[in-house]
Amino acid sequence: MSETTSLWDRRLILVGGKGGVGRTTVAAAIAHECARRGRRTLLLQANAADRVGGYFGRPPVGVDLVELAPKLWAINTTPAAALAEYGLMVLKFGAVYDMVFENRITKAFLRAVPGIDDYAVLGKVWFHTTETERGKPRWDTVVFDMPASGHSLSMLRIPQVITETVPEGPLTRDARAVLALLRDPTRCATVLVTLAEEMPVNEVRELSAKLAALGVPTQQVVANQIYPDRFPPGSIPARVLDALDAPADPTLAALATHARLAAARATLARTYLGELRAWTPAPLTTLPMIFADELGPADVARLGGALAASVDAAA
């Protein structure tokens, strides 16, 4: 990390990236590692098709807090649930909330406000970073598994838009606090997840640039699902593979085909990892492909450990 504060000591960790790169898996691994280090951790998703529960051998995570492991909890909020929670915090009493937020006209007005759903979710994330219990922070770290790239950018732009366009009041006060948190590298870290492939690498590069323009720098890049390189150029296995032209034995032929595919995949990964290292200003971590139908607690712990070893070595 470029700052003196460790990734694991941040109050908020944003995990972003395009769909399909394993963003949720990396977020779960980060949250698991934070909890393993003794930090009371909340893993927060927004309107997601939940997989986190299964990662920890638990039922799907919904809008209520669920304990996944020692010191690790999760919640999968929705815009409606986040807005309701915000309304109750502002109005204090359930009866008053019902009169205002459950009013048909108010509901129609809120639905017409651009970005209100995204801001409600982001506001909930921020609230949990400030939440207290018996006079102490309830959570040491909140890990936010953000929506896919374009959606997350829209979400993170909202606090700045509010501070620039909305008259002074409670909404602008909270938006200013959210913006200050997002831009404070000692409290907030942004981790971007990609694959070592052309489209994901191009998209994560673009996302990183747009986040920087918002004042939210990328502090870690994770290249996920890297295939093992069993046939590095010039090695004995690579030379043996090159010598296998067209084996007559069908089993050997199938193995050779599979090996060539694996070698080609590793070559592709080397190419795009080189591109990532060439442009990213942030440390780059690689995580291995885990060949399993469903990931479980041991897999999440393994990924968290691999991530920790790389992050700590670069610190």
Side-chain angles (χ1 to χ4, degrees):
M1 304 296 289
S2 57
E3 290 77 22
T4 56
T5 307
S6 165
L7 172 69
W8 317 109
D9 296 331
R10 300 305 208 281
R11 181 56 57 88
L12 173 63
I13 301 175
L14 305 173
V15 184
K18 78 187 297 292
V21 299
R23 186 184 61 250
T24 296
T25 305
V26 173
I30 290 172
H32 180 275
E33 181 63 18
C34 287
R36 189 192 69 79
R37 292 171 180 243
R39 296 181 66 81
R40 189 175 171 92
T41 304
L42 174 64
L43 174 57
L44 193 150
Q45 296 180 284
N47 224 20
D50 180 72
R51 297 193 304 277
V52 166
Y55 288 169
F56 293 90
R58 299 285 192 272
V61 177
V63 297
D64 297 317
L65 278 175
V66 174
E67 186 173 6
L68 299 177
K71 293 189 177 294
L72 177 57
W73 284 258
I75 192 168
N76 187 3
T77 193
T78 64
L83 190 60
E85 189 172 354
Y86 180 75
L88 282 171
M89 282 191 296
V90 171
L91 298 174
K92 307 299 182 185
F93 299 103
V96 178
Y97 166 83
D98 289 340
M99 289 173 57
V100 176
F101 277 78
E102 294 302 323
N103 178 282
R104 179 173 56 85
I105 297 175
T106 303
K107 281 186 171 182
F109 170 76
L110 290 174
R111 282 196 298 270
V113 176
I116 188 66
D117 285 352
D118 284 345
Y119 186 64
V121 170
L122 187 59
K124 180 174 175 61
V125 174
W126 165 74
F127 164 72
H128 285 305
T129 69
T130 66
E131 191 177 8
T132 58
E133 194 173 62
R134 300 186 186 92
K136 297 181 179 180
R138 186 176 186 187
W139 309 107
D140 297 311
T141 297
V142 176
V143 179
F144 181 28
D145 175 21
M146 293 195 295
S149 302
H151 190 175
S152 62
L153 275 170
S154 299
M155 178 181 286
L156 295 178
R157 284 192 186 105
I158 294 173
Q160 182 172 331
V161 172
I162 290 174
T163 60
E164 293 174 349
T165 60
V166 176
E168 192 64 33
L171 188 61
T172 51
R173 180 199 63 214
D174 289 350
R176 197 173 292 113
V178 173
L179 198 57
L181 172 63
L182 295 175
R183 291 176 172 175
D184 183 351
T186 66
R187 293 188 292 155
C188 178
T190 301
V191 177
L192 297 185
V193 184
T194 185
L195 302 178
E197 299 173 8
E198 182 177 10
M199 286 185 62
V201 166
N202 289 339
E203 185 158 335
V204 79
R205 184 173 186 172
E206 182 180 350
L207 176 59
S208 180
K210 290 181 177 179
L211 287 172
L214 291 176
V216 183
T218 301
Q219 292 162 325
Q220 190 77 38
V221 175
V222 176
N224 194 28
Q225 299 178 15
I226 302 299
Y227 276 61
D229 191 356
R230 297 192 173 98
F231 304 94
S235 66
I236 293 175
R239 293 201 296 270
V240 171
L241 185 61
D242 290 341
L244 288 173
D245 293 330
D249 181 86
T251 301
L252 185 58
L255 286 172
T257 299
H258 178 79
R260 288 192 177 94
L261 287 172
R265 184 77 185 218
T267 299
L268 185 71
R270 280 195 300 274
T271 299
Y272 288 107
L273 287 174
E275 287 194 14
L276 283 170
R277 291 189 179 97
W279 71 260
T280 178
L284 174 65
T285 290
T286 60
L287 291 180
M289 167 67 83
I290 294 182
F291 298 94
D293 292 334
E294 300 288 340
L295 298 185
D299 300 312
V300 173
R302 176 187 169 192
L303 292 173
L307 186 59
S310 178
V311 169
D312 294 346

